[in-house]
C-alpha cells in the first residue's frame, strides 16, 4: 500500500552549491548532504511513499541549544526567516525524491522553528488545511 505523506525525523539540510572538484575533493558539507539525501531515499522506499508532481513541504528547524527556555517558548512554531533559504531546502528534498524533478510543477513550502528538526512531505491532492 502506498502512502501519501511522510515525516522525516531529521533536521532539514539545504543542498550545497557543488563544484566540479567535489567529485574528487569531498568537502564536509557535500559529504554530509549525500548522507542526508541517502537517508531520505532509503526512508521513502522503506515506507512506500510515492511522491506526486504537486507537493507540500513543511520544514521544522530545531532551535539552538543556546537559546533560553523563554525564547524557545516564544519562537516555537514561528516562521524561520534565516538561512538556510527555503529554495535550497526544497531542492535537497526534490533531488532525493526524484531522479528528474522537472515534472514537479507545484510546491508549497514553509519553514518554522521547532523543538526538534523534521520534514513533513505531503502529496498536494491529499492535503487539507487544518
Amino acid at each position: 500500500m502506498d502512502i501519501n505523506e511522510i515525516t522525516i525525523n531529521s533536521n532539514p539540510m539545504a543542498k550545497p552549491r557543488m563544484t566540479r572538484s567535489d567529485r574528487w575533493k569531498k568537502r564536509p558539507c557535500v559529504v554530509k548532504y549525500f548522507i542526508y539525501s541517502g537517508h531520505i531515499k532509503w526512508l521513502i522506499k522503506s515506507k512506500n511513499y510515492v511522491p506526486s508532481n504537486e507537493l507540500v513541504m513543511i520544514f521544522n528547524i530545531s532551535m539552538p541549544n543556546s537559546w533560553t527556555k523563554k525564547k524557545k517558548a516564544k519562537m516555537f512554531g514561528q516562521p524561520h526567516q534565516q538561512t538556510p533559504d527555503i529554495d535550497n531546502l526544497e531542492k535537497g528534498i526534490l533531488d532525493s525524491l526524484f531522479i528528474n524533478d522537472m515534472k514537479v510543477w507545484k510546491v508549497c513550502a514553509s519553514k518554522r522553528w521547532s523543538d526538534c528538526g523534521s520534514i513533513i512531505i505531503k502529496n498536494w491532492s491529499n492535503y487539507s488545511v487544518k
Side-chain angles (χ1 to χ4, degrees), residues 9-22:
N9 293 317
S10 176
N11 211 29
M13 182 178 179
K15 182 173 183 179
R17 184 176 304 258
M18 295 187 203
T19 63
R20 188 177 293 204
S21 66
D22 284 326

Side-chain angles (χ1 to χ4, degrees), residues 2 5 10 13 17 26 51 54 61 80 109:
D2 295 334
E5 176 181 333
S10 176
M13 182 178 179
R17 184 176 304 258
K26 306 288 186 194
E54 307 169 71
I61 300 175
H80 182 280

Side-chain angles (χ1 to χ4, degrees), residues 28-42:
C29 66
V30 174
V31 171
K32 187 177 174 183
Y33 169 74
F34 279 118
I35 292 169
Y36 167 80
S37 180
H39 173 70
I40 292 171
K41 289 175 186 177
W42 174 82

Side-chain angles (χ1 to χ4, degrees), residues 2-6 44 48-57 93-94 96-108 121-127:
D2 295 334
I3 60 170
N4 294 308
E5 176 181 333
I6 190 165
I44 287 165
N48 292 324
Y49 173 67
V50 178
S52 72
N53 296 332
E54 307 169 71
L55 297 169
V56 176
M57 296 182 216
I93 296 298
L94 291 175
S96 299
L97 292 177
F98 301 98
I99 294 170
N100 189 350
D101 61 4
M102 71 179 176
K103 295 191 180 209
V104 176
W105 67 278
K106 184 194 267 184
V107 175
C108 177
I121 306 168
K122 301 178 183 185
N123 291 345
W124 188 283
S125 59
N126 299 84
Y127 181 67

Side-chain angles (χ1 to χ4, degrees), residues 65-102:
N65 291 331
S66 60
W67 284 6
T68 63
K69 287 182 182 179
K70 184 177 179 181
K71 184 172 183 176
K72 286 182 180 182
K74 178 183 174 193
M75 295 303 289
F76 182 81
Q78 293 299 310
H80 182 280
Q81 297 176 325
Q82 301 172 347
T83 58
D85 296 345
I86 198 160
D87 58 322
N88 295 329
L89 293 171
E90 288 176 18
K91 187 67 178 158
I93 296 298
L94 291 175
D95 286 350
S96 299
L97 292 177
F98 301 98
I99 294 170
N100 189 350
D101 61 4
M102 71 179 176

